[in-house]
């Protein structure tokens, strides 16, 4: 943020956020975007892919915003941005450029952007002197090279680019000892996050503000069960159909019933009034679609009723 206000004092304003997937890089980038935009400044958010761009606020693909041409993996060209164009004027007024999942990008696309910004903005500093914050994880997908192997991917990765010297990485971020609240067990974690759930099990805003992030689906299942047990309502158990349609088919249903999948409901679906469920099929678009969270408000023999629903980003480690 200091560079946003006083970037002219620095030799270059490139910053690289290098961290493992799921540690909050996109959260940090969105926080920076919000902070800059709240000061009536312009911040551009781009990503290497369309999926990654949807995570950023106002995000678009880098090729779309910067008019980066489609190039062969070993080709270097400039972007299709002309001086005195509307896009050039926008870039001149821009205070921050954010690029997420940059390790997926071919280094030549970054070179094309660097050359173009220096020319259009008439500034020989890195990226035309603009504050350029990028994020990525080198343990994830590297540039895809047609017909190439590992060596070709590494050769065209940003690590093999001259730009890496222009991107500052200050080292690991450390938290103070008193940061957050430490717990000794999962049960204590559940009790602290979902305190007073007995009186708020039909309150959608209560669940919207709470989440427990876990790295594995097994942990998610265990934590979900702990939260489920805190509900004092009567439990209803629904079993999936496990009878073979064709006669003479020898199927060990017990084996299939014991299997679990993130995209399928369990064989035994245990539900209470107040349970938070997620729809995994498009039942009645646009209200009841895949990814919609619902709170069960009434249970009958063959029917469950809900009248509270909301949409949240779907991820494998959700606690609901």
């Amino acid at each position: 943020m200091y560079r946003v206000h006083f970037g002219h004092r620095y030799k270059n304003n490139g910053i690289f956020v290098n961290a493992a997937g799921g540690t909050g890089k996109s959260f940090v980038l969105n926080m920076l975007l919000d902070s800059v935009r709240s000061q009536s400044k312009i911040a551009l958010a781009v990503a290497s892919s369309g999926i990654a761009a949807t995570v950023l606020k106002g995000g678009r693909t880098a090729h779309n915003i910067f008019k980066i041409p489609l190039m062969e993996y070993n080709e270097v060209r400039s972007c299709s941005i002309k001086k005195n164009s509307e896009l050039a004027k926008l870039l001149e007024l821009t205070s921050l450029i954010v690029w997420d999942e940059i390790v997926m990008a071919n280094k030549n696309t970054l070179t094309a952007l660097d050359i173009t910004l220096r020319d259009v903005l008439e500034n020989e500093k890195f990226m035309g002197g603009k504050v350029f914050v990028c994020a990525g994880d080198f343990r994830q997908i590297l540039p895809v090279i047609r017909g190439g192997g590992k060596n070709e991917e590494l050769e065209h990765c940003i690590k093999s680019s001259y730009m890496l010297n222009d991107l500052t990485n200050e080292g690991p971020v450390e938290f103070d000892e008193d940061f957050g609240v430490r717990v000794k067990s999962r049960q204590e974690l559940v009790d602290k996050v979902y305190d007073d759930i007995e009186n708020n099990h039909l309150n959608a805003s209560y669940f919207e503000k709470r989440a427990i992030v876990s790295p594995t689906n097994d942990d998610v299942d265990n934590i979900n069960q702990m939260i489920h047990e805190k509900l004092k309502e009567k439990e209803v158990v629904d079993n999936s159909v496990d009878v073979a349609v064709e006669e003479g088919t020898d199927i060990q249903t017990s084996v299939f019933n014991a299997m679990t999948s993130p995209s399928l409901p369990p064989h035994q679906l245990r539900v209470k009034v107040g349970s938070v469920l997620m729809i995994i099929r498009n039942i009645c678009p646009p209200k009841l679609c895949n990814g919609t969270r619902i709170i069960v408000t009434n249970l009958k023999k063959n029917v469950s009723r809900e009248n509270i629903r909301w949409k949240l980003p779907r991820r494998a480690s959700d606690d609901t």
Side-chain angles (χ1 to χ4, degrees):
M1 292 303 299
Y2 191 85
R3 290 171 185 254
V4 170
H5 296 285
F6 306 103
H8 60 279
R9 301 181 182 179
Y10 292 84
K11 182 179 180 180
N12 65 68
N13 293 308
I15 299 173
F16 183 61
V17 181
N18 179 16
T23 54
K25 297 187 296 296
S26 298
F27 176 84
V28 172
L29 297 183
N30 278 321
M31 181 180 64
L32 291 173
L33 292 170
D34 286 340
S35 181
V36 172
R37 290 166 179 169
S38 67
Q39 301 174 22
S40 299
K41 298 179 182 293
I42 297 176
L44 298 181
V46 303
S48 299
S49 68
I51 295 297
T54 60
V55 180
L56 298 176
K57 296 181 179 179
R60 291 158 62 184
T61 62
H63 282 75
N64 179 273
I65 285 188
F66 300 125
K67 309 302 180 185
I68 301 175
L70 297 178
M71 301 178 288
E72 294 295 331
Y73 68 92
N74 58 351
E75 184 182 6
V76 179
R77 297 166 57 188
S78 60
C79 303
S80 301
I81 304 176
K82 298 181 179 180
K83 289 185 178 181
N84 300 321
S85 65
E86 293 298 323
L87 180 55
K89 295 177 182 178
L90 174 64
L91 291 173
E92 187 175 353
L93 297 174
T94 298
S95 299
L96 172 68
I97 297 175
V98 164
W99 189 322
D100 197 10
E101 301 295 353
I102 198 166
V103 298
M104 296 174 57
N106 190 310
K107 67 178 184 181
N108 291 336
T109 62
L110 300 172
T111 301
L113 179 61
D114 184 31
I115 293 173
T116 302
L117 291 182
R118 295 187 189 212
D119 178 52
V120 171
L121 302 178
E122 297 181 351
N123 189 324
E124 288 304 318
K125 290 184 179 180
F126 175 67
M127 292 296 174
K130 295 299 177 180
V131 180
F132 183 80
V133 180
C134 55
D137 177 16
F138 290 104
R139 286 155 287 199
Q140 294 181 332
I141 299 176
L142 296 180
V144 177
I145 305 300
R146 184 183 303 174
K150 181 178 179 180
N151 293 334
E152 288 76 15
E153 291 179 354
L154 293 175
E155 181 183 351
H156 291 85
C157 178
I158 188 175
K159 270 198 171 183
S160 302
S161 173
Y162 69 88
M163 297 184 187
L164 200 62
N165 296 327
D166 295 313
L167 295 171
T168 304
N169 193 335
E170 298 294 345
V173 177
E174 298 181 357
F175 295 101
D176 296 333
E177 289 294 329
D178 57 350
F179 179 82
V181 178
R182 297 179 181 271
V183 294
K184 298 180 180 179
S185 65
R186 294 182 182 178
Q187 188 62 55
E188 185 180 356
L189 173 64
V190 170
D191 293 339
K192 284 186 175 295
V193 175
Y194 290 94
D195 58 319
D196 200 27
I197 191 176
E198 300 85 354
N199 300 320
N200 291 278
H201 60 286
L202 296 180
N203 185 358
S205 61
Y206 173 85
F207 289 102
E208 287 177 339
K209 298 177 182 178
R210 289 165 170 80
I212 297 177
V213 181
S214 175
T216 65
N217 287 324
D218 289 338
D219 289 336
V220 172
D221 293 337
N222 294 332
I223 293 174
N224 276 341
Q225 184 59 33
M226 293 180 184
I227 300 173
H228 181 76
E229 293 174 355
K230 290 175 69 67
L231 299 175
K232 304 304 180 183
E233 303 289 340
K234 181 181 178 180
E235 183 181 68
V236 175
V237 180
D238 292 324
N239 294 331
S240 63
V241 177
D242 58 358
V243 179
V245 177
E246 298 181 5
E247 296 182 0
T249 304
D250 185 16
I251 299 178
Q252 296 180 346
T253 56
S254 60
V255 176
F256 289 101
N257 292 342
M259 298 174 65
T260 59
S261 172
S263 58
L264 295 174
H267 167 60
Q268 283 193 332
L269 184 62
R270 300 180 178 273
V271 183
K272 297 180 181 179
V273 171
S275 294
V276 178
L277 306 180
M278 183 176 69
I279 297 175
I280 58 175
R281 293 291 183 271
N282 291 333
I283 299 176
C284 182
K287 293 183 179 180
L288 299 179
C289 298
N290 179 22
T292 303
R293 266 57 167 202
I294 62 173
I295 297 179
V296 178
T297 59
N298 197 357
L299 286 170
K300 300 296 182 181
K301 183 177 180 181
N302 297 311
V303 177
S304 65
R305 179 179 178 180
E306 52 77 27
N307 59 12
I308 305 173
R309 62 177 70 95
W310 69 96
K311 292 281 287 186
L312 288 175
R314 180 180 178 181
R315 57 183 71 177
S317 57
D318 276 337
D319 65 306
T320 51

